[in-house]
Amino acid sequence: MAQFSNPVLPGSHPDPSVCRVGPDHYLVTSTFEYFPGLPIHHSRDLVHWRLIGHVLDRPSQLPLQGVRASGGLYAPTIRHHDGVFYVVCTLVDGTGESGNFVVTATDPAGDWSEPRWLPEADGFDPSLFFDDDGRAWWTATRLVRPPGETEVWLREFDPARLELIGDEHVIWRGALRDAVWPEAPHLYKVDGRYVLLTAEGGTDFEHSVVVATADTVTGPYRGSLLNPVLTHRHLGRDHPIAAVGHADLVCTQNGQWYAVLLATRPYGGYYYNLGRETFLVPVVWEAGGPVFSPGTGRVEPRYDVPDLSPHPWPVPPQTDDFDGPRLDPAWMFLRTPEEEFWSLADRPGHLRLRVRPESVTEPVTPSMVVRPQQHPSFHASCVLEFEPAGPTEVAGLVLLQNDAYHVRLLLGADREVTLVRRVAGQDELLARAAVGEGAVRLCVEAVGQDVQALVASGTGDWQLLGEPFDGRVLSTPVAGGFTGVHIGLYASAEGRPSGSWADFDSFTYRGLE
């Protein structure tokens, strides 16, 4: 039988949530400080996914200015009811609006509404459940006391007025004694019983999935004797898949159950540069509860494909030549742009970035577009035309974990290319070299955690810039936070005003496995 490979969404796609409408499945994931927010992926077979847009793609919907690294959008949930799609989410540590909100749309690829902020809904990781009696319920998690004691609460939700009504019910405080971060609650009704699925143990190595059931929606909920029903923390840090948790369930039109969940793929030791990715796992029901990955009880790298007609989408090209009228939806910005600093029209066939004072070393919105690293071993390169007008003006490639941990490969004044690694907020110059006039090609390649930079003038041969260096500083266990590495095209005057621009003729990304 044909098989599929995990993860089904590689690269930084954490906190997945899924819903089905007829033969179509729709999935959203967290995006934290990146704009546009909450990508929507569509699938007909649960294996092949295509990006069809973002839930929050207008600046008015998503005020991310000044949000810290790994602040912003946490843990969305997508649901469909009576012809309407609902996404609920939390904006964490916003400098303007903050907290829980709901948005709606009749077409998931179309325009979503402005957020309806719910100040009465405290906590994070919200979810919606539409019962078969016509009532809807909101669940979320809130901190009871540090360092991670939380509780899951429930309250009725009015889908017409988009507000919470009725009394509040605390329904869960964790499966294990002294459990930390019981979170990500999702409710379902299976064979007449209510099933509460949550995560527990934090979002790293100790992550897990737990389940509880009840006869009524408000409880009491009783934890399964099998809890945790899925975890990899007992497999050790050398296991190729780790940090399993934050699951959401979906039933196909053929009656098969699956879970989407997050996990990591450490490499070069317990280091994961790709962040938390979306995996797919089969589920069966026994004694009223879900059994994840029956037969092995762990997330496997390969499974038999679902009993659905295969529906692959066209494979995106490895090279973006910037020939279209708008940016490919895979590109994102760091926080919400307050002005349009990019153009595909000023010089057709090129992405033009304005050189502005904002720097990637600060929690701002620099002139930069990014997309996630998706393979442990990869090639990323660009073709750049740039004539700096001042001593601080630079443009080129960035491997971004956050403002304090990243790598910059940039062309600057006097036609000099510099390779800088930033660790814990301190820059380290790794190499520099002069290049000739005209177009410059810049490249970063990684084979696991061994990373090297290359540079070429015009159509000349690639030349190694400096020595290969260790990429572990870009991993989440070193740099902290909740995101994976993003690869960016960048231009800046590093704090000074400028009227210059940088033209990128193309960008190429491909895996090297």
Side-chain angles (χ1 to χ4, degrees), residues 341 351-360 365-369 384 386 392-398 410-411 488-494 498 500-504:
F341 51 75
L351 169 65
R352 173 164 288 183
L353 294 182
R354 284 176 46 207
V355 178
R356 299 160 58 241
E358 287 79 4
S359 171
V360 72
T365 304
S367 292
M368 182 170 66
V369 296
L384 168 66
F386 177 50
T392 64
E393 295 186 359
V394 290
L397 281 174
V398 175
L410 305 176
L411 173 64
L489 302 176
Y490 171 68
S492 177
E494 303 296 341
S498 172
S500 302
W501 60 83
D503 287 339
F504 294 87

Side-chain angles (χ1 to χ4, degrees), residues 25-360:
H25 300 82
Y26 299 98
L27 186 148
V28 296
T29 56
S30 296
T31 43
F32 300 95
E33 70 266 36
Y34 291 97
F35 179 92
L38 309 184
I40 294 270
H41 286 85
H42 170 225
S43 177
R44 288 284 181 88
D45 58 12
L46 286 175
V47 172
H48 301 95
W49 296 88
R50 62 168 179 163
L51 179 63
I52 61 172
H54 291 76
V55 176
L56 305 174
D57 59 4
R58 303 187 300 275
S60 61
Q61 294 173 300
L62 187 53
L64 289 177
Q65 291 85 356
V67 167
R68 62 175 174 84
S70 287
L73 295 177
Y74 282 37
T77 296
I78 185 169
R79 294 293 183 258
H80 180 267
H81 182 71
D82 283 350
V84 178
F85 289 89
Y86 299 80
V87 167
V88 296
C89 191
T90 312
L91 175 54
V92 175
D93 291 341
T95 59
E97 294 285 1
S98 207
N100 288 303
F101 63 88
V102 56
V103 290
T104 62
T106 54
D107 179 356
D111 290 336
W112 288 76
S113 69
E114 293 292 310
R116 169 81 157 109
W117 297 93
L118 299 172
E120 70 274 24
D122 59 348
F124 55 95
D125 289 11
S127 184
L128 286 179
F129 166 65
F130 292 90
D131 206 343
D132 50 18
D133 62 0
R135 301 173 76 182
W137 299 88
W138 175 287
T139 57
T141 304
R142 63 187 170 209
L143 184 65
V144 176
R145 62 180 60 87
E149 182 182 342
T150 62
E151 63 185 13
V152 174
W153 58 274
L154 171 84
R155 191 172 169 190
E156 191 168 357
F157 175 77
D158 185 334
R161 295 187 294 175
L162 301 180
E163 62 184 25
L164 303 184
I165 58 176
D167 297 329
E168 181 183 287
H169 308 267
V170 175
I171 60 173
W172 189 245
R173 290 191 171 91
L176 301 184
R177 180 175 293 180
D178 299 326
V180 295
W181 300 112
E183 59 189 359
H186 293 306
L187 271 178
Y188 317 88
K189 195 172 189 179
V190 181
D191 296 331
R193 285 179 60 79
Y194 295 91
V195 178
L196 174 66
L197 197 70
T198 70
E200 194 168 293
T203 62
D204 199 350
F205 180 73
E206 296 82 10
H207 211 20
S208 67
V209 180
V210 302
V211 67
T213 57
D215 293 323
T216 62
V217 69
T218 57
Y221 284 84
R222 298 187 175 217
S224 169
L225 296 176
L226 304 178
N227 280 329
V229 292
L230 185 65
T231 187
H232 278 203
R233 61 193 179 208
H234 62 297
L235 300 178
R237 294 178 186 266
D238 289 335
H239 194 75
I241 299 174
V244 168
H246 203 115
D248 195 9
L249 297 173
V250 66
C251 183
T252 73
Q253 64 268 36
N254 294 333
Q256 288 182 302
W257 285 85
Y258 283 86
V260 294
L261 50 86
L262 69 80
T264 62
R265 290 183 288 166
Y267 57 100
Y270 191 73
Y271 303 94
Y272 47 94
N273 299 36
L274 284 75
R276 298 168 300 156
E277 307 173 277
T278 293
F279 289 68
L280 181 70
V281 172
V283 174
V284 298
W285 293 84
E286 294 182 1
V291 176
F292 289 75
S293 192
T296 71
R298 60 180 180 238
V299 178
E300 301 293 347
R302 297 183 66 85
Y303 289 102
D304 291 343
V305 298
D307 182 22
L308 297 168
S309 297
H311 201 288
W313 305 104
V315 178
Q318 294 180 340
T319 297
D320 190 338
D321 290 316
F322 304 115
D323 290 332
R326 58 183 59 88
L327 278 174
D328 186 280
W331 291 107
M332 297 181 292
F333 305 101
L334 188 58
R335 304 179 182 87
T336 306
E338 295 184 277
E339 58 179 338
E340 195 164 285
F341 51 75
W342 68 97
S343 173
L344 294 172
D346 287 354
R347 187 181 177 189
H350 295 73
L351 169 65
R352 173 164 288 183
L353 294 182
R354 284 176 46 207
V355 178
R356 299 160 58 241
E358 287 79 4
S359 171
V360 72

